[in-house]
């Protein structure tokens, strides 16, 4: 097993960077574009980025293209091995788990509004990058349905819709159960919805591969199989990253963009500040038109339900069902098997017409939570040569690239005239008792399940 060196809070199985991810995306993305190979020997760059996912690759692209700053991304695995190549492909509003009310109470109405504006801008950004850079990423479905999984959940969704109108003048229409069926989504756990008019679906590994090409298009370097195992400063204050296998990279600035796969033990400021959480996906074989009609599910609009521990659901271009859900706090292979079995049972309940349809692919990986459930993007105020770019909270496909654009401007000392909230820019904070992160998550999940499945709204 190739190692991600440093202390880790889950079983080694999930950190096996040399094991291919058995995802549908790996099977259908086509050959990866060229990269710069593992970093060997001594090398130098202006900005070194640890992590070569959507965040790291986008940062290298923006630094080199927009600001003419030499940048190098290092990844412990092949490009696309992390969450970026194995997610559900929802381009959606994220990077925090906190509600707008909660953000308003903590950071004020203006910054809460900026979170919302940045989330919208991030969704538009991905669609714009895909179109303007001619990335073939299988964009499909506009917006997103948030579906009431129980009849009494529609009221809460309707309240959200009203808040969107009164606070932001946005139309997030409430859709009755019958109308939702007419729009192509039906089942025993579909009791109406609201429609979010932002975002889309895409093929995440094709998007990541597209970003790999963009990252290298203006002289940026991308080194896979280059795990950073030691981080120090030289006599002149420059950062020196030691790579597994003996390579060394010297840089003026280092940015940590490792999200749920963050390696602890490299620099104390990044220890105990992230909580990786497992997200799990099942994909079926392609469903025929008749099978889709039989379930009453025919829309390509991405779907999430109203649970705290939500299911995220897409009908893909070739008719396959993608059924995803966060959960499980053990990353052993056996625990993975158990969790997929549970997910399959739930899939059969949510889509009874497809209970005998075979599953063709299943995989899992890490999203990243922070101690206050808000993502982190910026430079340490006391040390502007070190940056952070992580904390997707389950939805980072859109924000990771947009946030990288912001961070590139920060590093360059240039202005950023698009919305970017102050609450995202704060340095990461440590969990109160880092060693209890996983048990605390298990307790939170147990409570969410009670709220989602037993308690009334
Ligand atoms: C199953 C699943 C489903 C998801 N679904 C969605 C979705 O539908 N929509 C959405 O918006 N988001 C989704 N997400 C989250 C989304 O994938 C992430 O927010 C996004 O990919 C984060 O990108 P990243 O570049 O920050 O991190 P990653 O893509 O995880 O990249 C981090 C990289 O850091 C590398 N690394 C770690 N330590 C080191 C080291 N010491 N040296 C070198 N490299 C190192 C790792 O190898 C890894 O490749 C999902 C995630 C998962 C796991």
């Amino acid at each position: 097993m190739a190692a991600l060196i440093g202390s880790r809070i889950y079983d080694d199985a999930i950190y096996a960077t040399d094991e291919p991810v058995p995802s549908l995306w790996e099977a259908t993305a086509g050959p990866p574009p060229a990269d710069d190979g593992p970093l060997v020997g001594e090398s130098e760059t202006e900005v070194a980025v640890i992590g070569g996912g959507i965040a790291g690759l986008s940062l290298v692209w923006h630094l080199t293209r927009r600001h003419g700053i030499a940048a190098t991304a290092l990844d412990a695995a092949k490009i696309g091995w992390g969450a970026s190549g194995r997610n559900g492909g929802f381009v959606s509003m994220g990077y925090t788990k906190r509600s707008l009310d909660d953000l308003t109470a903590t950071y004020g109405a203006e910054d809460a509004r900026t979170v919302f504006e940045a989330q919208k801008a991030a969704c538009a950004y991905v669609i714009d990058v895909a179109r303007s850079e001619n990335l073939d990423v299988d964009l499909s479905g506009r917006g997103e349905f948030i579906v009431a999984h129980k009849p009494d959940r529609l009221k809460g969704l309707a309240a959200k819709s009203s808040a969107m109108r009164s606070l932001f003048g946005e139309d997030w229409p409430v859709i009755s159960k019958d109308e939702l069926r007419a729009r192509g989504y039906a089942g025993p756990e579909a009791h109406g919805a609201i429609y979010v008019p932002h975002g889309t679906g895409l093929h995440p590994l094709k998007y990541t591969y597209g970003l790999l090409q963009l990252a290298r298009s203006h002289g940026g370097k991308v080194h896979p199989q280059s795990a950073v195992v030691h981080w120090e400063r030289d006599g002149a204050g420059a950062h020196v990253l030691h790579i597994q296998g003996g390579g060394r990279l010297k840089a003026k600035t280092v940015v940590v963009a490792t999200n749920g796969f963050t390696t602890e033990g490299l620099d104390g400021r990044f220890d105990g500040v992230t909580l990786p959480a497992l997200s799990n996906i099942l994909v079926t074989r392609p469903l025929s038109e008749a099978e889709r009609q039989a379930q009453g599910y025919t829309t390509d609009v991405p779907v999430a339900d109203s649970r705290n521990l939500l299911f995220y659901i897409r009908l893909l271009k070739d008719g396959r069902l993608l059924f995803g859900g966060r959960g499980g706090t053990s990353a052993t292979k056996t625990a993975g098997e158990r969790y997929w079995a549970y997910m399959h049972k739930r899939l059969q309940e949510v889509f009874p017409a497809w209970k005998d349809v075979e599953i063709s692919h299943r995989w899992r990986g890490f999203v990243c939570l922070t101690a206050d459930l808000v993502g982190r993007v910026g430079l340490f105020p006391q040390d502007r040569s070190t940056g952070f770019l992580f904390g997707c909270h389950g939805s980072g496909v859109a924000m990771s690239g947009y946030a990288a654009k912001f961070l590139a401007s920060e590093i360059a000392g240039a202005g950023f005239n698009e919305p970017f909230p102050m609450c995202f820019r704060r340095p990461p904070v440590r969990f109160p008792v880092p060693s209890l992160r996983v048990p605390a998550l298990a307790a939170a999940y147990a409570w969410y399940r009670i709220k989602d499945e037993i308690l009334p709204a």
Side-chain angles (χ1 to χ4, degrees):
M1 183 193 299
L4 288 182
I5 305 295
S7 64
R8 288 169 255 142
I9 59 175
Y10 286 92
D11 189 83
D12 283 356
I14 195 85
Y15 299 97
T17 50
D18 54 352
E19 262 183 38
V21 180
S23 71
L24 172 72
W25 313 126
E26 284 287 349
T28 54
D35 55 45
D36 294 290
L39 190 137
V40 288
E42 307 271 327
S43 197
E44 232 177 293
T45 187
E46 282 184 73
V47 179
V49 187
I50 309 179
I54 294 172
L57 296 171
S58 302
L59 182 59
V60 169
W61 179 43
H62 290 301
L63 283 167
T64 50
R65 185 188 73 152
R66 296 168 63 86
H67 304 291
I69 295 177
T72 300
L74 302 166
D75 201 288
K78 78 170 268 289
I79 299 305
W81 176 90
S84 297
R86 57 169 110 173
N87 60 67
F90 280 61
V91 176
S92 55
M93 300 174 69
Y95 237 65
T96 174
K97 263 288 160 208
R98 309 238 327 236
S99 68
L100 277 173
D101 281 349
D102 194 8
L103 289 170
T104 303
T106 315
Y107 305 109
E110 195 185 324
D111 210 41
R113 170 182 279 272
T114 310
V115 170
F116 178 72
E117 295 298 340
Q119 289 173 323
K120 276 197 324 187
C123 291
Y125 161 91
V126 173
I127 297 169
D128 180 56
V129 167
R131 298 223 165 109
S132 59
E133 302 300 326
N134 290 317
L135 304 184
D136 170 21
V137 297
D138 299 346
L139 290 180
S140 73
R142 283 311 297 262
E144 183 176 338
F145 289 127
I146 304 180
V147 171
H149 72 284
K150 290 183 173 198
D152 67 356
R153 287 348 193 233
L154 194 55
K155 215 166 131 201
L157 292 177
K160 184 158 190 167
S161 164
S162 307
M164 285 299 148
R165 179 158 300 118
S166 60
L167 289 174
F168 306 122
E170 286 250 327
D171 186 22
W172 290 25
V174 180
I175 298 167
S176 70
K177 180 175 177 161
D178 289 344
E179 197 189 337
L180 186 60
R181 172 181 282 277
R183 289 175 69 165
Y185 191 80
E189 296 191 12
H191 300 278
I194 53 173
Y195 176 71
V196 181
H198 305 291
T200 183
L202 53 61
H203 187 306
L205 188 54
K206 287 188 183 176
Y207 180 53
T208 305
Y209 283 170
L211 293 174
L212 166 57
Q213 285 174 304
L214 294 176
R216 299 180 73 240
S217 63
H218 288 74
K221 296 256 186 291
V222 179
H223 295 287
Q225 277 101 31
S226 300
V228 176
V229 293
H230 183 61
W231 178 353
E232 64 182 1
R233 304 274 181 131
D234 68 9
H239 297 268
V240 182
L241 300 178
H242 294 244
I243 314 300
Q244 191 170 43
R248 287 205 304 181
L249 179 64
K250 196 166 160 179
K252 284 192 199 131
T253 301
V254 173
V255 174
V256 172
T258 46
N259 207 47
F261 290 94
T262 295
T263 303
E264 307 211 348
L266 291 176
D267 177 316
R269 292 170 294 181
F270 297 97
D271 292 349
V273 301
T274 59
L275 169 50
L278 287 160
S279 199
N280 311 270
I281 291 182
L282 303 181
V283 171
T284 68
R285 65 155 168 79
L287 296 151
S288 68
E289 176 65 32
E291 284 174 318
R292 283 177 264 157
Q293 293 292 351
Q295 177 56 52
Y297 180 8
T298 53
T299 181
D300 64 357
V301 173
V303 173
D305 72 19
S306 50
R307 290 179 165 84
N308 292 287
L309 271 182
L310 55 82
F311 289 123
Y312 49 95
I313 302 163
R314 290 178 61 199
L315 210 45
L316 304 176
K317 233 174 61 174
D318 62 356
R320 292 173 194 269
L321 171 74
L322 180 150
F323 188 72
R326 181 113 45 86
T329 48
S330 168
T332 64
K333 295 212 169 184
T334 324
E337 293 292 336
R338 266 202 313 271
Y339 207 83
W340 288 318
Y342 159 76
M343 292 268 299
H344 193 197
K345 188 170 149 286
R346 295 297 290 116
L347 183 159
Q348 291 166 319
E349 287 161 1
V350 179
F351 304 110
W354 300 339
K355 68 178 173 18
D356 297 324
V357 170
E358 307 82 54
I359 303 299
S360 62
H361 299 82
R362 6 173 259 180
W363 68 94
R364 57 196 331 214
F366 282 137
V367 305
C368 176
L369 311 179
T370 64
D372 56 12
L373 302 180
V374 176
R376 288 303 202 281
V377 185
L379 301 171
F380 286 99
Q382 316 300 335
D383 167 22
R384 289 182 63 82
S385 78
T386 309
F388 39 88
L389 174 50
F390 53 75
C392 73
H393 296 89
S395 304
V397 170
M399 187 59 81
S400 301
Y402 179 80
K405 189 175 169 191
F406 161 76
L407 185 53
S409 302
E410 282 286 287
I411 292 169
F416 189 69
N417 53 14
E418 294 170 70
F420 205 79
M422 298 308 292
C423 63
F424 283 11
R425 306 181 194 197
R426 295 166 304 131
V429 291
R430 206 169 263 241
F431 279 80
V433 189
S435 58
L436 292 182
R437 279 172 286 177
V438 178
L441 186 66
Y445 282 175
W447 170 233
Y448 285 154
R449 284 219 196 281
I450 292 170
K451 278 175 80 171
D452 289 339
E453 313 301 340
I454 299 170
L455 297 180

